[in-house]
Amino acid sequence: MSQGKRVFIFLGPPGSGKGSLSKLCVNELGWEQLSTGNLCREHISNQTEIGKKIDFAIKSGKLVSDGLIVEMVKKWLDECLSAKECVILDGFPRTLAQAEALDVLLKERFSFSDLSVVKLVIEDEKVVARLSGRYICQNDRCQEVYSLIKGSSLAPRKHMVCDACLGPLMRRSDDNKDSVKERLRTYHRHENKLLSFFETQGQAVTEFCVDKPLDVVFDNFKALVGLDRE
Ligand code: AMP
């Protein structure tokens, strides 16, 4: 059981920068990130039985079943959760059933936890534009995110090569137009139910604007969590 963790849920549409902001928190603040999207992609690239089952759902922008996701989260908590003070849940929970499962897990696995829900706010048209230029390092232990949109601060130093591990960059299989549409539709379908759930739990949700360059978003996030005063 983990003592005194601060747990952040990043709730936001695809392309809102949940993963990029999480990665900065990991690298710069020594936090920990649980990304259910990364776990799913690892299963697919390792061609596990789970990977074979979820490949089609992911490519077409649909959600993976709650049962499989909750199993992945439990396994990650058992095997990977470290003693770090803060953990970000990036892309989990995404449905009401997952939020209910998380509620139980937090009570079971954390003797005390301070939960913060941060809703990343950006217009759909902006995320569609962002995702059209998003490239990811193909090395699944890295999965660094880049943007080939002109003027972006996320451009790789060398064209189509990851700065961090020199792996090749690729578009995500679910970043095509139809899947992005489906993922946005799915996100909005579940968002209100999640927000109502948090409301009934008495859990505050902080709206946080992410329609800014990543360095500005990170500075604002540190201010939001009180780390600008340290
Ligand atoms: P992400 O990397 O968070 O954008 O997730 C990529 C894809 O993985 C999603 O479009 C879903 O197909 C799947 N996925 C990730 N997290 C979840 C989740 N919590 N519940 C269901 N499916 C998920």
Side-chain angles (χ1 to χ4, degrees):
M1 193 178 274
S2 178
Q3 302 284 328
K5 278 248 186 222
R6 200 162 173 199
V7 180
F8 288 85
I9 292 175
F10 283 179
L11 188 69
S16 55
K18 300 184 289 295
S20 300
L21 180 58
S22 301
K23 204 139 193 180
L24 279 172
C25 294
V26 169
N27 294 340
E28 308 281 325
L29 306 175
W31 290 13
E32 205 166 1
Q33 172 197 19
L34 163 58
S35 159
T36 42
N38 285 353
L39 293 180
C40 289
R41 283 184 288 277
E42 276 169 32
H43 274 287
I44 292 173
S45 81
N46 294 334
Q47 300 185 343
T48 64
E49 283 310 308
I50 291 182
K52 287 178 202 156
K53 274 191 208 155
I54 64 179
D55 192 25
F56 181 72
I58 299 221
K59 276 196 188 115
S60 49
K62 306 240 182 278
L63 290 184
V64 171
S65 77
D66 291 326
L68 280 178
I69 292 287
V70 171
E71 276 316 302
M72 281 183 210
V73 170
K74 280 187 184 159
K75 193 161 184 278
W76 186 91
L77 290 174
D78 288 341
E79 293 172 4
C80 305
L81 185 72
S82 74
K84 289 179 181 163
E85 199 185 322
C86 299
V87 60
I88 298 168
L89 306 182
D90 159 11
F92 176 84
R94 259 179 160 94
T95 65
L96 180 60
Q98 292 177 20
E100 288 166 347
L102 174 64
D103 191 41
V104 175
L105 283 174
L106 286 177
K107 286 177 186 136
E108 267 175 20
R109 315 243 174 160
F110 297 79
S111 60
F112 158 78
S113 66
D114 172 7
L115 182 66
S116 303
V117 182
V118 182
K119 181 181 162 203
L120 310 192
V121 180
I122 182 166
E123 286 167 19
D124 283 3
E125 304 88 81
K126 302 254 173 86
V127 298
V128 170
R130 273 186 185 183
L131 293 175
S132 70
R134 176 163 83 170
Y135 282 74
I136 311 283
C137 175
Q138 229 191 325
N139 170 0
D140 46 76
R141 281 187 307 281
C142 178
Q143 299 197 31
E144 191 72 38
V145 178
Y146 295 92
S147 173
L148 296 195
I149 292 175
K150 216 168 158 219
S152 169
S153 58
L154 294 178
R157 283 195 290 270
K158 194 170 167 203
H159 186 61
M160 298 303 276
V161 176
C162 175
D163 293 352
C165 75
L166 303 182
L169 304 188
M170 286 249 312
R171 292 203 69 194
R172 264 174 50 173
S173 63
D174 57 347
D175 274 351
N176 63 75
K177 215 166 145 216
D178 289 342
S179 299
V180 168
K181 244 193 208 164
E182 177 64 21
R183 285 155 63 204
L184 276 169
R185 235 190 337 250
T186 304
Y187 174 75
H188 290 298
R189 199 166 59 235
H190 291 281
E191 185 192 45
N192 284 340
K193 288 182 202 155
L194 285 172
L195 294 175
S196 308
F197 174 79
F198 292 128
E199 198 182 337
T200 53
Q201 299 277 86
Q203 172 64 53
V205 175
T206 305
E207 295 211 347
F208 178 62
C209 173
V210 287
D211 185 12
K212 296 192 166 61
L214 185 57
D215 54 339
V216 177
V217 169
F218 186 47
D219 283 344
N220 290 349
F221 180 71
K222 283 187 286 188
L224 180 78
V225 298
L227 287 175
D228 56 335
R229 295 185 292 276
E230 290 185 349

